[in-house]
Amino acid sequence: MAHRGTGFFDNKGHFFKTPEEATVSDLAGILGKIGDGESLAPGIAYTLLDRRNEIERLFADHDAMLAEAIDASQAGSVTKLTPRAG
């Protein structure tokens, strides 16, 4: 007998049973092939999803530091550093 179910799709249109599986697939696609042999991207993608809150907090801190650097640079209180040749 037929029955109804719920499915989730990644950006390529592949079907997954859970939203986590679809998101891990999309993250792995963004990361591309990592490592020799079988790609490490799916494992890294799962870790990124698993540690999402920590990663979002890290990027929020990064954005705040960038904003502070821009403000300081515009105020003239920061000397722009350039790499040395050689």
Side-chain angles (χ1 to χ4, degrees):
M1 174 177 4
H3 59 280
R4 185 177 2 175
T6 301
F8 302 90
F9 298 88
D10 66 6
N11 287 330
K12 295 178 186 174
H14 297 126
F15 172 83
F16 295 91
K17 292 181 181 180
T18 68
E20 291 80 13
E21 291 173 338
T23 301
V24 165
S25 175
D26 284 336
L27 285 170
I30 289 170
L31 293 171
K33 183 169 177 0
I34 300 173
D36 296 331
E38 191 172 331
S39 178
L40 301 173
I44 294 169
Y46 177 79
T47 300
L48 290 171
L49 184 60
D50 189 49
R51 298 193 174 188
R52 178 181 177 174
N53 290 334
E54 298 163 64
I55 294 167
E56 286 177 345
R57 190 174 337 110
L58 178 72
F59 278 112
D61 291 346
H62 175 74
D63 292 343
M65 288 187 287
L66 284 176
E68 289 176 19
I70 290 169
D71 290 344
S73 176
Q74 290 174 348
S77 62
V78 171
T79 302
K80 183 176 182 181
L81 301 176
T82 56
R84 291 189 305 194

